[in-house]
Amino acid sequence: MIRKQVGKEPGKSYLENMSKSADNPRTIIHTDMDAFYASVELLDNPDLRGKPVVVGGLSNRSVVSAASYEARKFGIHSAMPTSTARGLCPHAVFMPVRMGRYREISERIMAIFHRYTPLVEPISLDEAFLDVTGSARLFGNGPDIAAVIRETIKSETGLTASAGVASSKLLAKIASDLHKPDGLTVVDPGREKEFLADLPIDRLWGVGKTTIKSLRMLSVGTIGDLTRLPLELLASKYGKHGVHLYYAARGLDKRPVTPVREAKSIGHEDTFREDLQDLKMIKKELLDLAGRVGARLRRHEQEGKTVSLKVKFNDFSTNSRSKTLLEATADSMEIYRHSLELLAKTGADRTPVRLLGISISNLDNARDGRQPDLFGVCRSREKKKKLSLAVDRLNRKFGSMVVKPGRLIDND
Ligand SMILES: [Mg+2]
């Protein structure tokens, strides 16, 4: 499957975190589903068990997203061109990506993680860091929790996960990969350096082929070898990346597990008893929808950056458009304005409309502070927000749509 690059260009705070050893010992679990997309396909198509299965784009110009372990025996791996994979194993079963299904199972897996700690940082659909330091009293030590999580995933989804348990993200991630598939690897506290010493350098995050080649010239093959190079040398040769390598090789990594709010959306859609033909009517419905979506966002104290519009036509075709704003919003009129822009791209003026939907995603908690240097902007935004909240209160008190934006009333 496509892996997200975790070891991206390190920033300053990143390096600060890398260079310190943890003040308090932490217990971090990294879990990673085994050949996730391919395993889901095997789960849903049991006849394919034991056969090489490749998930990805089916045209020869596309790439492999995931390969079952049987397919990997032929040298097929993710990110490989599909044409190459077909050459390596012509009798493999090639299947299209079903992202909706993977997402559905991913949600179930993430929910299992949340039973053991609120500190869950998803890295991709099938991978996450969990800080379980504070969970010991309730659920036992790190290895116990990792074992229970793996069992639970297996019994509730039928899929296997591998896990690594260690005192940092860096080590937990390396550990989870060591005994794949269906493996559990524990790095005991105090034995981090020992654990790393004999591993080849490509086990470290963000060590690409070029760096490996260049390090080989310095007779560095293992992570242990890497600890023999002084910081100055690594820094002058590889810049920030070299500094990262210096600390990583020593197992130093204090980066916290940062929980990300689930990528949810708040929205509303309406199916009309009679198809809407008139653009004026469509706009009126859109205004009404935007009002309800805005109110719902404000009720949940949420703001969102991405506005999506869904239009279903009377021939049952659907056109969805979305745009991402610079700043998150919960303002109904703003949502309406952007929806209108999106509407212009859907062809709603030419075909009768059956259904309209607006949703806001990329959500953020509205209570989080804003930057003070945007003072002017904030003040007008604050004003609007207060006004919207007052309108919401009135509508709650006196029934759904007592207070409507002026334009909506004009059209009545
Ligand atoms: Mg995986």
Side-chain angles (χ1 to χ4, degrees), residues 53-112:
V53 169
V54 179
V55 178
L58 296 183
S59 88
N60 275 343
R61 271 175 306 170
S62 47
V63 293
V64 172
S65 296
S68 71
Y69 286 91
E70 278 76 14
R72 290 181 195 193
K73 287 178 194 154
F74 294 88
I76 298 173
H77 57 79
S78 57
M80 170 184 274
T82 302
S83 54
T84 312
R86 279 190 209 279
L88 286 170
C89 183
H91 68 280
V93 182
F94 287 82
M95 307 191 78
V97 177
R98 291 187 302 150
M99 200 50 84
R101 175 72 174 136
Y102 311 145
R103 207 164 270 143
E104 184 190 316
I105 294 183
S106 169
E107 274 172 28
R108 278 156 60 193
I109 296 163
M110 296 295 162
I112 293 172

Short mmCIF file of all heavy atoms in Angstrom, two decimals, residues 53-112:
data_model
loop_
_atom_site.label_atom_id
_atom_site.label_comp_id
_atom_site.label_asym_id
_atom_site.label_seq_id
_atom_site.Cartn_x
_atom_site.Cartn_y
_atom_site.Cartn_z
N VAL A 53 -2.66 -11.77 -4.85
CA VAL A 53 -3.65 -10.72 -5.11
C VAL A 53 -2.96 -9.37 -5.12
O VAL A 53 -2.17 -9.05 -4.22
CB VAL A 53 -4.76 -10.75 -4.04
CG1 VAL A 53 -5.64 -9.52 -4.13
CG2 VAL A 53 -5.61 -12.01 -4.20
N VAL A 54 -3.24 -8.60 -6.15
CA VAL A 54 -2.64 -7.27 -6.27
C VAL A 54 -3.77 -6.24 -6.36
O VAL A 54 -4.66 -6.37 -7.19
CB VAL A 54 -1.75 -7.17 -7.53
CG1 VAL A 54 -1.15 -5.79 -7.67
CG2 VAL A 54 -0.66 -8.23 -7.49
N VAL A 55 -3.73 -5.23 -5.48
CA VAL A 55 -4.74 -4.18 -5.50
C VAL A 55 -4.10 -2.92 -6.05
O VAL A 55 -3.00 -2.55 -5.65
CB VAL A 55 -5.28 -3.92 -4.08
CG1 VAL A 55 -6.30 -2.78 -4.10
CG2 VAL A 55 -5.91 -5.18 -3.50
N GLY A 56 -4.80 -2.28 -6.98
CA GLY A 56 -4.26 -1.04 -7.53
C GLY A 56 -5.00 -0.63 -8.77
O GLY A 56 -6.04 -1.21 -9.09
N GLY A 57 -4.47 0.36 -9.45
CA GLY A 57 -5.06 0.77 -10.71
C GLY A 57 -4.90 -0.36 -11.72
O GLY A 57 -3.92 -1.10 -11.70
N LEU A 58 -5.91 -0.53 -12.57
CA LEU A 58 -5.86 -1.68 -13.46
C LEU A 58 -5.20 -1.37 -14.80
O LEU A 58 -4.77 -2.27 -15.50
CB LEU A 58 -7.28 -2.23 -13.68
CG LEU A 58 -7.94 -2.76 -12.40
CD1 LEU A 58 -9.31 -3.34 -12.70
CD2 LEU A 58 -7.07 -3.81 -11.71
N SER A 59 -5.13 -0.10 -15.14
CA SER A 59 -4.47 0.22 -16.41
C SER A 59 -2.96 0.05 -16.22
O SER A 59 -2.45 0.10 -15.11
CB SER A 59 -4.78 1.65 -16.82
OG SER A 59 -3.85 2.55 -16.25
N ASN A 60 -2.27 -0.15 -17.33
CA ASN A 60 -0.84 -0.42 -17.21
C ASN A 60 -0.03 0.81 -16.81
O ASN A 60 1.13 0.70 -16.43
CB ASN A 60 -0.32 -1.01 -18.52
CG ASN A 60 -0.52 -2.52 -18.54
OD1 ASN A 60 -0.74 -3.13 -17.48
ND2 ASN A 60 -0.47 -3.12 -19.71
N ARG A 61 -0.68 1.97 -16.91
CA ARG A 61 0.06 3.18 -16.51
C ARG A 61 -0.05 3.43 -15.01
O ARG A 61 0.60 4.30 -14.47
CB ARG A 61 -0.45 4.39 -17.28
CG ARG A 61 0.28 4.60 -18.58
CD ARG A 61 -0.36 5.73 -19.35
NE ARG A 61 -1.80 5.49 -19.52
CZ ARG A 61 -2.64 6.41 -19.99
NH1 ARG A 61 -2.22 7.59 -20.30
NH2 ARG A 61 -3.92 6.11 -20.13
N SER A 62 -0.91 2.67 -14.31
CA SER A 62 -1.11 2.92 -12.89
C SER A 62 -0.15 2.08 -12.05
O SER A 62 0.64 1.31 -12.58
CB SER A 62 -2.55 2.66 -12.51
OG SER A 62 -2.96 1.44 -13.05
N VAL A 63 -0.26 2.26 -10.73
CA VAL A 63 0.68 1.57 -9.85
C VAL A 63 -0.05 0.66 -8.86
O VAL A 63 -1.25 0.78 -8.65
CB VAL A 63 1.56 2.58 -9.03
CG1 VAL A 63 2.49 3.34 -9.94
CG2 VAL A 63 0.68 3.49 -8.21
N VAL A 64 0.74 -0.21 -8.26
CA VAL A 64 0.22 -1.16 -7.27
C VAL A 64 0.01 -0.43 -5.94
O VAL A 64 0.89 0.29 -5.48
CB VAL A 64 1.22 -2.32 -7.08
CG1 VAL A 64 0.83 -3.22 -5.92
CG2 VAL A 64 1.36 -3.12 -8.38
N SER A 65 -1.16 -0.58 -5.33
CA SER A 65 -1.41 0.00 -4.01
C SER A 65 -1.07 -0.98 -2.90
O SER A 65 -0.62 -0.58 -1.84
CB SER A 65 -2.88 0.40 -3.88
OG SER A 65 -3.19 1.40 -4.80
N ALA A 66 -1.34 -2.25 -3.12
CA ALA A 66 -1.02 -3.25 -2.11
C ALA A 66 -0.90 -4.61 -2.77
O ALA A 66 -1.55 -4.88 -3.78
CB ALA A 66 -2.11 -3.30 -1.05
N ALA A 67 -0.06 -5.46 -2.19
CA ALA A 67 0.12 -6.81 -2.71
C ALA A 67 0.00 -7.79 -1.56
O ALA A 67 0.53 -7.55 -0.48
CB ALA A 67 1.50 -6.94 -3.36
N SER A 68 -0.73 -8.88 -1.78
CA SER A 68 -0.84 -9.89 -0.73
C SER A 68 0.53 -10.55 -0.55
O SER A 68 1.40 -10.43 -1.41
CB SER A 68 -1.88 -10.94 -1.12
OG SER A 68 -1.39 -11.74 -2.17
N TYR A 69 0.68 -11.25 0.57
CA TYR A 69 1.99 -11.85 0.82
C TYR A 69 2.34 -12.88 -0.24
O TYR A 69 3.51 -13.04 -0.60
CB TYR A 69 2.05 -12.41 2.24
CG TYR A 69 2.18 -11.27 3.24
CD1 TYR A 69 1.06 -10.67 3.81
CD2 TYR A 69 3.43 -10.73 3.54
CE1 TYR A 69 1.17 -9.59 4.67
CE2 TYR A 69 3.56 -9.64 4.40
CZ TYR A 69 2.42 -9.08 4.97
OH TYR A 69 2.56 -8.00 5.79
N GLU A 70 1.32 -13.55 -0.82
CA GLU A 70 1.59 -14.49 -1.91
C GLU A 70 2.14 -13.75 -3.13
O GLU A 70 3.03 -14.24 -3.80
CB GLU A 70 0.30 -15.24 -2.30
CG GLU A 70 -0.03 -16.42 -1.42
CD GLU A 70 -0.63 -16.00 -0.08
OE1 GLU A 70 -1.00 -14.82 0.05
OE2 GLU A 70 -0.70 -16.84 0.83
N ALA A 71 1.58 -12.55 -3.37
CA ALA A 71 2.05 -11.78 -4.53
C ALA A 71 3.46 -11.24 -4.28
O ALA A 71 4.26 -11.11 -5.21
CB ALA A 71 1.08 -10.63 -4.81
N ARG A 72 3.75 -10.95 -3.02
CA ARG A 72 5.08 -10.41 -2.71
C ARG A 72 6.19 -11.42 -3.00
O ARG A 72 7.32 -11.06 -3.28
CB ARG A 72 5.14 -9.99 -1.23
CG ARG A 72 4.29 -8.76 -0.97
CD ARG A 72 4.36 -8.32 0.47
NE ARG A 72 3.29 -7.37 0.75
CZ ARG A 72 3.23 -6.62 1.84
NH1 ARG A 72 4.18 -6.70 2.75
NH2 ARG A 72 2.23 -5.80 2.01
N LYS A 73 5.82 -12.71 -2.92
CA LYS A 73 6.82 -13.75 -3.22
C LYS A 73 7.34 -13.63 -4.66
O LYS A 73 8.41 -14.11 -4.97
CB LYS A 73 6.21 -15.15 -3.02
CG LYS A 73 6.03 -15.50 -1.55
CD LYS A 73 5.39 -16.87 -1.40
CE LYS A 73 4.90 -17.08 0.03
NZ LYS A 73 3.78 -18.05 0.07
N PHE A 74 6.53 -13.00 -5.52
CA PHE A 74 6.96 -12.81 -6.91
C PHE A 74 7.71 -11.50 -7.10
O PHE A 74 8.02 -11.11 -8.20
CB PHE A 74 5.73 -12.85 -7.84
CG PHE A 74 5.06 -14.18 -7.89
CD1 PHE A 74 4.08 -14.51 -6.97
CD2 PHE A 74 5.43 -15.13 -8.84
CE1 PHE A 74 3.46 -15.76 -7.00
CE2 PHE A 74 4.82 -16.37 -8.88
CZ PHE A 74 3.84 -16.70 -7.96
N GLY A 75 7.94 -10.80 -6.01
CA GLY A 75 8.68 -9.54 -6.09
C GLY A 75 7.78 -8.34 -6.30
O GLY A 75 8.26 -7.23 -6.53
N ILE A 76 6.47 -8.55 -6.19
CA ILE A 76 5.54 -7.42 -6.38
C ILE A 76 5.45 -6.63 -5.07
O ILE A 76 5.35 -7.21 -3.99
CB ILE A 76 4.14 -7.93 -6.79
CG1 ILE A 76 4.25 -8.67 -8.13
CG2 ILE A 76 3.14 -6.78 -6.88
CD1 ILE A 76 2.97 -9.36 -8.56
N HIS A 77 5.51 -5.32 -5.17
CA HIS A 77 5.35 -4.49 -3.98
C HIS A 77 4.60 -3.21 -4.33
O HIS A 77 4.44 -2.88 -5.52
CB HIS A 77 6.70 -4.17 -3.33
CG HIS A 77 7.66 -3.50 -4.28
ND1 HIS A 77 7.60 -2.16 -4.58
CD2 HIS A 77 8.69 -4.01 -5.00
CE1 HIS A 77 8.56 -1.87 -5.43
NE2 HIS A 77 9.24 -2.98 -5.70
N SER A 78 4.15 -2.49 -3.30
CA SER A 78 3.37 -1.29 -3.54
C SER A 78 4.23 -0.24 -4.23
O SER A 78 5.46 -0.24 -4.10
CB SER A 78 2.79 -0.74 -2.24
OG SER A 78 3.83 -0.50 -1.34
N ALA A 79 3.57 0.63 -4.98
CA ALA A 79 4.19 1.72 -5.75
C ALA A 79 4.87 1.22 -7.03
O ALA A 79 5.41 2.01 -7.80
CB ALA A 79 5.17 2.54 -4.91
N MET A 80 4.82 -0.08 -7.27
CA MET A 80 5.40 -0.63 -8.49
C MET A 80 4.39 -0.43 -9.64
O MET A 80 3.19 -0.57 -9.42
CB MET A 80 5.65 -2.12 -8.27
CG MET A 80 6.03 -2.92 -9.49
SD MET A 80 6.17 -4.69 -9.05
CE MET A 80 7.85 -4.74 -8.47
N PRO A 81 4.86 -0.10 -10.86
CA PRO A 81 3.90 0.01 -11.96
C PRO A 81 3.13 -1.30 -12.15
O PRO A 81 3.72 -2.38 -12.06
CB PRO A 81 4.78 0.30 -13.17
CG PRO A 81 6.04 0.85 -12.61
CD PRO A 81 6.23 0.22 -11.27
N THR A 82 1.83 -1.18 -12.40
CA THR A 82 1.01 -2.37 -12.59
C THR A 82 1.56 -3.24 -13.72
O THR A 82 1.55 -4.47 -13.64
CB THR A 82 -0.44 -1.95 -12.91
OG1 THR A 82 -0.91 -1.16 -11.82
CG2 THR A 82 -1.35 -3.14 -13.05
N SER A 83 2.09 -2.60 -14.76
CA SER A 83 2.63 -3.36 -15.89
C SER A 83 3.79 -4.25 -15.44
O SER A 83 3.92 -5.40 -15.86
CB SER A 83 3.08 -2.42 -17.00
OG SER A 83 3.97 -1.46 -16.49
N THR A 84 4.65 -3.72 -14.56
CA THR A 84 5.77 -4.51 -14.04
C THR A 84 5.24 -5.70 -13.25
O THR A 84 5.73 -6.83 -13.37
CB THR A 84 6.66 -3.64 -13.13
OG1 THR A 84 6.94 -2.42 -13.79
CG2 THR A 84 7.97 -4.35 -12.79
N ALA A 85 4.21 -5.42 -12.41
CA ALA A 85 3.64 -6.48 -11.58
C ALA A 85 3.05 -7.59 -12.47
O ALA A 85 3.24 -8.77 -12.20
CB ALA A 85 2.56 -5.91 -10.66
N ARG A 86 2.37 -7.19 -13.55
CA ARG A 86 1.80 -8.18 -14.47
C ARG A 86 2.90 -9.03 -15.10
O ARG A 86 2.75 -10.23 -15.30
CB ARG A 86 1.02 -7.48 -15.58
CG ARG A 86 -0.37 -7.09 -15.17
CD ARG A 86 -1.14 -6.62 -16.41
NE ARG A 86 -2.16 -5.64 -16.07
CZ ARG A 86 -3.36 -5.94 -15.59
NH1 ARG A 86 -3.68 -7.20 -15.38
NH2 ARG A 86 -4.22 -4.99 -15.28
N GLY A 87 4.03 -8.38 -15.39
CA GLY A 87 5.16 -9.11 -15.96
C GLY A 87 5.72 -10.13 -14.98
O GLY A 87 6.05 -11.26 -15.34
N LEU A 88 5.80 -9.73 -13.69
CA LEU A 88 6.37 -10.62 -12.67
C LEU A 88 5.46 -11.80 -12.37
O LEU A 88 5.93 -12.88 -12.05
CB LEU A 88 6.62 -9.83 -11.38
CG LEU A 88 7.80 -8.86 -11.39
CD1 LEU A 88 7.78 -7.98 -10.16
CD2 LEU A 88 9.12 -9.64 -11.47
N CYS A 89 4.14 -11.56 -12.42
CA CYS A 89 3.22 -12.63 -12.05
C CYS A 89 1.92 -12.47 -12.86
O CYS A 89 0.94 -11.93 -12.38
CB CYS A 89 2.94 -12.57 -10.55
SG CYS A 89 1.86 -13.89 -9.99
N PRO A 90 1.94 -12.97 -14.10
CA PRO A 90 0.77 -12.79 -14.98
C PRO A 90 -0.50 -13.43 -14.43
O PRO A 90 -1.59 -12.98 -14.74
CB PRO A 90 1.20 -13.47 -16.29
CG PRO A 90 2.67 -13.65 -16.20
CD PRO A 90 3.02 -13.73 -14.75
N HIS A 91 -0.37 -14.48 -13.61
CA HIS A 91 -1.58 -15.16 -13.13
C HIS A 91 -2.10 -14.57 -11.82
O HIS A 91 -3.07 -15.08 -11.25
CB HIS A 91 -1.33 -16.66 -12.99
CG HIS A 91 -0.38 -17.01 -11.89
ND1 HIS A 91 1.00 -16.91 -12.05
CD2 HIS A 91 -0.58 -17.45 -10.63
CE1 HIS A 91 1.58 -17.28 -10.92
NE2 HIS A 91 0.65 -17.60 -10.04
N ALA A 92 -1.49 -13.48 -11.34
CA ALA A 92 -1.99 -12.84 -10.11
C ALA A 92 -3.38 -12.28 -10.38
O ALA A 92 -3.73 -11.97 -11.51
CB ALA A 92 -1.05 -11.72 -9.68
N VAL A 93 -4.18 -12.17 -9.30
CA VAL A 93 -5.51 -11.57 -9.43
C VAL A 93 -5.36 -10.07 -9.19
O VAL A 93 -4.95 -9.65 -8.12
CB VAL A 93 -6.48 -12.18 -8.41
CG1 VAL A 93 -7.87 -11.59 -8.59
CG2 VAL A 93 -6.51 -13.69 -8.54
N PHE A 94 -5.68 -9.27 -10.20
CA PHE A 94 -5.56 -7.82 -10.08
C PHE A 94 -6.93 -7.23 -9.75
O PHE A 94 -7.89 -7.49 -10.46
CB PHE A 94 -5.01 -7.22 -11.38
CG PHE A 94 -3.54 -7.51 -11.56
CD1 PHE A 94 -3.12 -8.73 -12.08
CD2 PHE A 94 -2.58 -6.58 -11.18
CE1 PHE A 94 -1.77 -9.02 -12.22
CE2 PHE A 94 -1.22 -6.86 -11.32
CZ PHE A 94 -0.82 -8.08 -11.85
N MET A 95 -6.98 -6.47 -8.67
CA MET A 95 -8.27 -5.94 -8.23
C MET A 95 -8.21 -4.43 -8.06
O MET A 95 -7.17 -3.89 -7.65
CB MET A 95 -8.65 -6.58 -6.90
CG MET A 95 -8.60 -8.10 -6.95
SD MET A 95 -9.36 -8.81 -5.52
CE MET A 95 -11.07 -8.65 -5.91
N PRO A 96 -9.33 -3.75 -8.35
CA PRO A 96 -9.34 -2.29 -8.20
C PRO A 96 -9.39 -1.88 -6.72
O PRO A 96 -9.79 -2.66 -5.86
CB PRO A 96 -10.64 -1.88 -8.90
CG PRO A 96 -11.51 -3.08 -8.82
CD PRO A 96 -10.61 -4.27 -8.85
N VAL A 97 -8.96 -0.66 -6.45
CA VAL A 97 -8.98 -0.11 -5.10
C VAL A 97 -10.43 0.21 -4.70
O VAL A 97 -11.15 0.83 -5.47
CB VAL A 97 -8.14 1.19 -5.07
CG1 VAL A 97 -8.21 1.84 -3.69
CG2 VAL A 97 -6.70 0.90 -5.46
N ARG A 98 -10.86 -0.26 -3.53
CA ARG A 98 -12.20 0.08 -3.02
C ARG A 98 -12.06 0.89 -1.74
O ARG A 98 -12.20 0.38 -0.63
CB ARG A 98 -13.00 -1.20 -2.74
CG ARG A 98 -13.38 -1.97 -4.01
CD ARG A 98 -14.31 -3.11 -3.67
NE ARG A 98 -13.68 -4.01 -2.70
CZ ARG A 98 -14.37 -4.73 -1.80
NH1 ARG A 98 -15.67 -4.63 -1.74
NH2 ARG A 98 -13.73 -5.53 -0.96
N MET A 99 -11.74 2.16 -1.95
CA MET A 99 -11.38 3.01 -0.82
C MET A 99 -12.47 3.10 0.24
O MET A 99 -12.18 3.10 1.43
CB MET A 99 -11.02 4.40 -1.34
CG MET A 99 -10.17 5.22 -0.39
SD MET A 99 -8.73 4.32 0.21
CE MET A 99 -7.58 4.59 -1.12
N GLY A 100 -13.73 3.12 -0.20
CA GLY A 100 -14.84 3.23 0.75
C GLY A 100 -14.83 2.07 1.74
O GLY A 100 -15.03 2.25 2.94
N ARG A 101 -14.59 0.88 1.24
CA ARG A 101 -14.58 -0.31 2.07
C ARG A 101 -13.39 -0.28 3.05
O ARG A 101 -13.53 -0.61 4.23
CB ARG A 101 -14.50 -1.53 1.16
CG ARG A 101 -14.36 -2.86 1.87
CD ARG A 101 -15.65 -3.28 2.58
NE ARG A 101 -15.50 -4.62 3.13
CZ ARG A 101 -15.91 -4.96 4.34
NH1 ARG A 101 -16.50 -4.08 5.12
NH2 ARG A 101 -15.75 -6.19 4.77
N TYR A 102 -12.22 0.15 2.54
CA TYR A 102 -11.04 0.19 3.42
C TYR A 102 -11.26 1.22 4.53
O TYR A 102 -10.87 1.04 5.67
CB TYR A 102 -9.77 0.54 2.63
CG TYR A 102 -9.57 -0.28 1.38
CD1 TYR A 102 -9.00 0.27 0.24
CD2 TYR A 102 -9.98 -1.62 1.33
CE1 TYR A 102 -8.84 -0.48 -0.91
CE2 TYR A 102 -9.83 -2.37 0.18
CZ TYR A 102 -9.26 -1.79 -0.95
OH TYR A 102 -9.11 -2.52 -2.09
N ARG A 103 -11.90 2.33 4.15
CA ARG A 103 -12.15 3.39 5.11
C ARG A 103 -13.09 2.90 6.22
O ARG A 103 -12.91 3.19 7.38
CB ARG A 103 -12.75 4.59 4.37
CG ARG A 103 -12.46 5.90 5.06
CD ARG A 103 -12.71 7.07 4.14
NE ARG A 103 -11.53 7.44 3.39
CZ ARG A 103 -11.53 7.85 2.13
NH1 ARG A 103 -12.65 7.92 1.46
NH2 ARG A 103 -10.40 8.19 1.55
N GLU A 104 -14.09 2.14 5.80
CA GLU A 104 -15.06 1.60 6.74
C GLU A 104 -14.37 0.70 7.78
O GLU A 104 -14.62 0.82 8.98
CB GLU A 104 -16.06 0.80 5.90
CG GLU A 104 -17.24 0.20 6.59
CD GLU A 104 -17.97 -0.75 5.63
OE1 GLU A 104 -18.16 -0.37 4.45
OE2 GLU A 104 -18.31 -1.86 6.05
N ILE A 105 -13.50 -0.18 7.31
CA ILE A 105 -12.80 -1.06 8.24
C ILE A 105 -11.81 -0.26 9.07
O ILE A 105 -11.65 -0.50 10.27
CB ILE A 105 -12.11 -2.20 7.47
CG1 ILE A 105 -13.19 -3.08 6.84
CG2 ILE A 105 -11.19 -3.02 8.38
CD1 ILE A 105 -12.70 -4.28 6.11
N SER A 106 -11.19 0.72 8.44
CA SER A 106 -10.24 1.58 9.16
C SER A 106 -10.93 2.24 10.36
O SER A 106 -10.36 2.30 11.46
CB SER A 106 -9.69 2.64 8.22
OG SER A 106 -8.98 3.61 8.93
N GLU A 107 -12.16 2.70 10.16
CA GLU A 107 -12.88 3.34 11.25
C GLU A 107 -13.09 2.38 12.41
O GLU A 107 -13.00 2.75 13.58
CB GLU A 107 -14.24 3.86 10.76
CG GLU A 107 -14.14 5.25 10.16
CD GLU A 107 -15.43 5.69 9.49
OE1 GLU A 107 -16.50 5.21 9.92
OE2 GLU A 107 -15.33 6.49 8.55
N ARG A 108 -13.37 1.14 12.08
CA ARG A 108 -13.57 0.14 13.14
C ARG A 108 -12.27 -0.12 13.90
O ARG A 108 -12.26 -0.28 15.12
CB ARG A 108 -14.11 -1.16 12.53
CG ARG A 108 -15.62 -1.07 12.31
CD ARG A 108 -16.13 -1.99 11.24
NE ARG A 108 -15.86 -3.39 11.52
CZ ARG A 108 -15.99 -4.37 10.60
NH1 ARG A 108 -16.37 -4.07 9.39
NH2 ARG A 108 -15.73 -5.61 10.92
N ILE A 109 -11.16 -0.16 13.15
CA ILE A 109 -9.87 -0.40 13.79
C ILE A 109 -9.50 0.77 14.71
O ILE A 109 -9.08 0.59 15.85
CB ILE A 109 -8.78 -0.62 12.72
CG1 ILE A 109 -9.08 -1.89 11.91
CG2 ILE A 109 -7.40 -0.71 13.35
CD1 ILE A 109 -8.32 -1.96 10.61
N MET A 110 -9.71 1.99 14.19
CA MET A 110 -9.37 3.18 14.98
C MET A 110 -10.23 3.22 16.25
O MET A 110 -9.78 3.62 17.31
CB MET A 110 -9.57 4.46 14.17
CG MET A 110 -8.64 4.59 12.96
SD MET A 110 -6.88 4.74 13.39
CE MET A 110 -6.08 4.33 11.83
N ALA A 111 -11.48 2.78 16.14
CA ALA A 111 -12.37 2.76 17.31
C ALA A 111 -11.85 1.78 18.37
O ALA A 111 -11.95 2.04 19.57
CB ALA A 111 -13.79 2.39 16.89
N ILE A 112 -11.28 0.68 17.92
CA ILE A 112 -10.69 -0.29 18.86
C ILE A 112 -9.54 0.37 19.62
O ILE A 112 -9.44 0.28 20.84
CB ILE A 112 -10.20 -1.56 18.12
CG1 ILE A 112 -11.41 -2.31 17.54
CG2 ILE A 112 -9.38 -2.46 19.05
CD1 ILE A 112 -11.05 -3.48 16.62
#
